[in-house]
Amino acid sequence: MSVNNELPSMNSLPSVFRIVSTACVPISNGRGVSYHVGLYHDEACMTVSFNRSHPDIQLRVSQLVMVSWKYPLRTTNGAVEVSSLVVLELPIKGVNLFETVPPSWIKDRRLVNQARWQLYLLPAGLRLTIKAILWDGRRFRAFLEQSASIRAQHVRLIDKQGHANKEVGKVSLHDVRFPRGLMHLSHAEALLNDVSKVIEYESYA
């Protein structure tokens, strides 16, 4: 084992990561399994390793997790040794979902950053509502990647969202009388409209 001097300090690590890959193999002595899990956040991405007495069916790609770290940070075969991963089933404060979008999902980071700021600028209540709806990793990925409706439209939701953002921006810049509260509602409406398309798709899956 060795300390990886290139790892960021504990203070700079995000509190929540998204799982992008998982591998689980039996431990050689037959007592449990060893996990190697790829994690992503805009501020840091890494592979972590830990052992468990049995496989954890909750550890799936796209899930959001919190890391139980070991001190000091050490690596074995390129993976950071941790105590465990805790799957986050319910939304928590301070997490912007668009900061956990892996590049393999959406390559155009400009659009992801645009959506991140749109969510950040919403009032707290609306932000929490949207975050709760999109907290499930599979639904969030579908929101980003699938067509805008089950009728096979060829506009991806993230592209449509960028267009909606641009239109709202035009209104607010060209009409100083446009109430700020209504602008927030327009942002929320655009997001919720696209989320409803994903939920509609789920009902037909």
Side-chain angles (χ1 to χ4, degrees), residues 138-150:
R138 288 170 294 188
R139 175 177 290 173
F140 185 50
R141 184 168 187 174
F143 168 78
L144 294 169
E145 293 185 337
Q146 288 181 358
S147 299
S149 77
I150 62 171

Side-chain angles (χ1 to χ4, degrees), residues 100-120:
T100 67
V101 179
S104 59
W105 290 11
I106 299 292
K107 297 187 183 301
D108 190 340
R109 307 313 288 176
R110 177 186 58 83
L111 291 175
V112 176
N113 190 55
Q114 188 178 44
R116 177 175 68 89
W117 276 105
Q118 180 178 1
L119 184 61
Y120 175 78

Side-chain angles (χ1 to χ4, degrees), residues 86-104:
V86 179
V87 174
L88 300 173
E89 298 182 352
L90 298 175
I92 61 174
K93 291 183 178 179
V95 176
N96 189 311
L97 295 176
F98 292 98
E99 294 178 347
T100 67
V101 179
S104 59

Side-chain angles (χ1 to χ4, degrees), residues 2-9 72-75 80:
S2 62
V3 177
N4 188 336
N5 294 323
E6 296 182 357
L7 287 172
S9 68
L73 294 183
R74 296 179 180 273
T75 63
V80 181

Side-chain angles (χ1 to χ4, degrees), residues 9 12 15 24 27 42 52 58-59 61 65 91 137 171 176 195 199:
S9 68
S12 66
S15 59
C24 175
I27 297 175
D42 283 349
R52 288 184 58 91
Q58 288 189 307
L59 289 175
V61 170
V65 294
V171 174
V176 293
V195 170
I199 295 174

Side-chain angles (χ1 to χ4, degrees), residues 118-130:
Q118 180 178 1
L119 184 61
Y120 175 78
L121 293 172
L122 289 176
L126 287 173
R127 187 165 63 244
L128 180 60
T129 298
I130 291 170

Side-chain angles (χ1 to χ4, degrees), residues 21-202:
S21 65
T22 62
C24 175
V25 297
I27 297 175
S28 57
N29 62 14
R31 298 180 179 178
V33 293
S34 176
Y35 271 96
H36 274 63
V37 180
L39 303 177
Y40 180 83
H41 188 282
D42 283 349
E43 296 177 3
C45 56
M46 64 187 70
T47 299
V48 299
S49 64
F50 56 94
N51 295 337
R52 288 184 58 91
S53 58
H54 56 275
D56 186 345
I57 62 173
Q58 288 189 307
L59 289 175
R60 301 189 304 269
V61 170
S62 301
Q63 293 284 78
L64 290 173
V65 294
M66 189 173 289
V67 183
S68 178
W69 302 99
K70 281 185 178 179
Y71 304 96
L73 294 183
R74 296 179 180 273
T75 63
T76 301
N77 299 323
V80 181
E81 297 177 9
V82 301
S83 295
S84 63
L85 296 179
V86 179
V87 174
L88 300 173
E89 298 182 352
L90 298 175
I92 61 174
K93 291 183 178 179
V95 176
N96 189 311
L97 295 176
F98 292 98
E99 294 178 347
T100 67
V101 179
S104 59
W105 290 11
I106 299 292
K107 297 187 183 301
D108 190 340
R109 307 313 288 176
R110 177 186 58 83
L111 291 175
V112 176
N113 190 55
Q114 188 178 44
R116 177 175 68 89
W117 276 105
Q118 180 178 1
L119 184 61
Y120 175 78
L121 293 172
L122 289 176
L126 287 173
R127 187 165 63 244
L128 180 60
T129 298
I130 291 170
K131 186 161 64 174
I133 296 171
L134 293 176
W135 192 257
D136 178 82
R138 288 170 294 188
R139 175 177 290 173
F140 185 50
R141 184 168 187 174
F143 168 78
L144 294 169
E145 293 185 337
Q146 288 181 358
S147 299
S149 77
I150 62 171
R151 286 173 288 278
Q153 297 179 25
H154 297 293
V155 179
R156 287 182 181 273
L157 292 177
I158 191 70
D159 294 331
K160 184 182 176 186
Q161 186 56 55
H163 175 72
N165 238 355
K166 195 179 298 181
E167 293 302 315
V168 171
K170 283 181 182 178
V171 174
S172 60
L173 286 173
H174 289 87
D175 187 352
V176 293
R177 296 169 299 175
F178 190 72
R180 183 173 180 81
L182 290 182
M183 184 172 67
H184 287 155
L185 289 175
S186 296
H187 286 170
E189 187 279 332
L191 278 167
L192 289 171
N193 179 66
D194 285 346
V195 170
S196 69
K197 305 289 187 181
V198 174
I199 295 174
E200 181 186 13
Y201 181 87
E202 287 176 352

